[in-house]
């Protein structure tokens, strides 16, 4: 499906460039976008390596277990049937912590692990459990205290204040997370995923 979408966008751009007489601008954009993409990837790679390293150190120093103990009461109240010593709690906490730091890519492996553990509790059912749905919503509308990736992108494009988005980002992510959790809890009453 994505191949069709991308092919359509490319074809539409080509037709629009020919019709509007902007073929030279299109070819210049194609050439320069490759350089821009590589520059951006290198800029973000340094940040991802740093924060993934910090998360790895936190895991090896058992800081993540301490964090898990602090967060587990909150998670147990949100997720029906989840216990403090549950094997899904640690990857869920790591995922939430990575999202708090704005490290969406670092959050992905722990999110997948948490989802696998929640799915194992679903006992082979083909539909997701309420806890699985809630976790996906929380992961999608994650609270971000430090929007690292966006700040790095802004810095790479010469922003005078790359961290100027921190407060708006916190406000928006709190609103999104609150609405997401509220709507999920409301729909749980009407639709049984389990």
């Amino acid at each position: 499906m994505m191949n069709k979408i991308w092919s359509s966008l490319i074809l539409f751009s080509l037709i629009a460039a020919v019709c509007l007489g902007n073929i030279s601008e299109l070819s210049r954009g194609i050439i320069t976008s490759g350089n821009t993409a590589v520059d951006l990837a290198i800029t973000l790679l340094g940040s991802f390596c740093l924060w993934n390293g910090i998360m790895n150190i936190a895991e090896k120093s058992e800081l993540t277990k301490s964090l898990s103990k602090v967060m587990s009461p909150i998670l147990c109240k949100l997720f029906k049937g989840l216990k403090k010593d549950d094997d899904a709690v640690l990857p869920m906490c790591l995922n939430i912590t990575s999202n708090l730091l704005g490290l969406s890519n670092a959050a992905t492996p722990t999110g997948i692990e948490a989802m696998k553990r929640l799915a194992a509790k679903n006992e082979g059912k083909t539909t997701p459990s309420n806890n699985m749905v809630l976790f996906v919503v929380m992961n999608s509308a994650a609270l971000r205290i430090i929007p690292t990736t966006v700040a790095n992108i802004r810095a790479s494009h010469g922003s005078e204040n790359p961290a100027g988005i921190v407060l708006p980002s916190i406000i928006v992510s709190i609103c999104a997370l609150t609405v997401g959790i509220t709507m999920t809890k409301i729909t749980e009453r009407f639709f049984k995923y389990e």
Side-chain angles (χ1 to χ4, degrees):
M1 182 65 174
M2 286 305 292
N3 289 339
K4 291 178 183 176
I5 292 171
W6 282 110
S7 299
S8 308
L9 288 172
I10 291 169
L11 185 63
F12 177 75
S13 300
L14 248 157
I15 292 169
V18 169
C19 291
L20 297 172
N22 295 335
I23 247 337
S24 61
E25 289 179 31
L26 177 68
S27 59
R28 186 171 42 251
I30 291 170
I31 293 167
T32 59
S33 65
N35 293 339
T36 306
V38 170
D39 290 343
L40 182 60
I42 290 171
T43 302
L44 293 177
L45 182 65
S47 172
F48 289 144
C49 288
L50 169 74
W51 288 104
N52 281 332
I54 288 172
M55 292 301 285
N56 199 355
I57 290 168
E59 190 173 2
K60 290 196 178 184
S61 68
E62 298 194 357
L63 178 65
T64 54
K65 286 186 181 176
S66 302
L67 189 61
S68 175
K69 286 179 184 173
V70 171
M71 293 178 88
S72 61
I74 298 166
L75 292 176
C76 291
K77 286 198 185 297
L78 279 174
F79 292 88
K80 206 173 1 173
L82 199 67
K83 295 179 176 58
K84 290 181 183 180
D85 59 344
D86 205 301
D87 66 339
V89 171
L90 182 61
M92 288 170 82
C93 289
L94 286 172
N95 178 272
I96 291 167
T97 305
S98 297
N99 279 324
L100 280 171
L101 297 173
L103 306 170
S104 303
N105 290 348
T108 301
T110 54
I112 291 170
E113 183 61 31
M115 191 58 82
K116 283 180 185 174
R117 293 180 185 185
L118 289 172
K121 294 177 188 327
N122 205 18
E123 298 169 1
K125 294 180 183 170
T126 55
T127 57
S129 66
N130 287 336
N131 285 344
M132 291 170 73
V133 172
L134 178 59
F135 184 69
V136 168
V137 168
M138 285 180 64
N139 200 17
S140 301
L143 176 61
R144 284 174 181 77
I145 293 174
I146 307 169
T148 322
T149 305
V150 177
N152 280 330
I153 291 171
R154 286 170 51 94
S156 73
H157 288 299
S159 172
E160 290 180 20
N161 185 11
I165 55 153
V166 171
L167 184 61
S169 175
I170 291 171
I171 293 168
V172 167
S173 63
I174 287 172
C175 292
L177 186 62
T178 304
V179 169
I181 291 172
T182 304
M183 292 307 295
T184 304
K185 289 298 183 181
I186 289 171
T187 56
E188 272 181 16
R189 295 177 185 271
F190 299 105
F191 304 102
K192 297 295 180 196
Y193 300 110
E194 301 179 289

